[in-house]
Amino acid sequence: MKNLFRTLALCLSLTLGAGALAAERGTADEAVAMVHKVIADMKANGKDKTIAEINTLGNRYRDRDLYVTVMDMNGKELAHGANKRMQGVDLIDIKDQDGKAYIRERIALVKANGKGWQDYKFVNPVTKSMEPKSMYFEKYEDLLVSCGIYKKP
């Protein structure tokens, strides 16, 4: 009986631990909601004010490994919610570790479809590791608003 309780306790702790790890990562629905929140704030408060707020790296547009980016349709990163060094940088020719020109691809996708998902590899700001990422994006006026999720490598 004692061993049964130990086994149950171990199973419970492993289950709760796995749930805690999953909770550290944002979900696809949360990424979409974050993009919608940015667009709503741009409509209500203006693009410049919203971009400036994203660039403070505060918690309004950041949650765990979720953060927002805003770029113009030429690939210039106007706002990056996790890395100040990316703010204001022309990223049109950047490639991931596999050589994928993901900014060029994202701009083409948003021009063709207005919104969508894109897969590539990028450094997770929480784990500091290169990980597979799925980025949700939408066009708002002349801007591309994005928020992505990191997948387990």
Side-chain angles (χ1 to χ4, degrees):
M1 190 65 141
K2 199 178 209 181
N3 285 338
L4 177 62
F5 284 119
R6 281 187 188 155
T7 302
L8 288 173
L10 178 61
C11 288
L12 182 60
S13 69
L14 290 174
T15 302
L16 293 175
L21 289 175
E24 292 175 8
R25 293 183 180 265
T27 68
D29 288 342
E30 291 169 328
V32 171
M34 189 78 77
V35 167
H36 291 164
K37 177 176 159 178
V38 169
I39 292 171
D41 287 354
M42 286 181 171
K43 289 177 181 177
N45 305 315
K47 292 188 275 188
D48 291 340
K49 183 176 180 181
T50 305
I51 287 169
E53 189 170 348
I54 293 166
N55 282 338
T56 67
L57 308 185
N59 290 332
R60 181 159 173 72
Y61 302 107
R62 190 165 182 177
D63 179 16
R64 296 159 292 161
D65 61 349
L66 296 174
Y67 58 88
V68 176
T69 66
V70 179
M71 70 175 45
D72 67 19
M73 296 305 287
N74 296 311
K76 183 176 181 181
E77 193 87 273
L78 304 174
H80 194 287
N83 187 342
K84 284 196 174 280
R85 293 188 320 243
M86 301 282 281
Q87 297 168 0
V89 177
D90 182 354
L91 300 175
I92 193 67
D93 291 319
I94 196 168
K95 295 179 180 176
D96 73 0
Q97 74 178 23
D98 295 332
K100 183 176 189 173
Y102 62 93
I103 298 298
R104 286 190 180 276
E105 179 184 81
R106 189 177 312 153
I107 290 170
L109 287 168
V110 81
K111 284 180 178 178
N113 304 316
K115 63 183 176 180
W117 285 93
Q118 175 197 37
D119 293 328
Y120 61 104
K121 292 181 181 167
F122 202 76
V123 176
N124 182 323
V126 175
T127 66
K128 309 293 188 224
S129 298
M130 186 67 66
E131 296 181 10
K133 182 172 186 173
S134 286
M135 182 72 91
Y136 177 74
F137 57 86
E138 282 192 30
K139 185 175 183 198
Y140 173 66
E141 294 182 359
D142 58 342
L143 300 176
L144 196 160
V145 181
S146 310
C147 184
I149 58 170
Y150 290 91
K151 302 175 183 180
K152 286 185 177 180

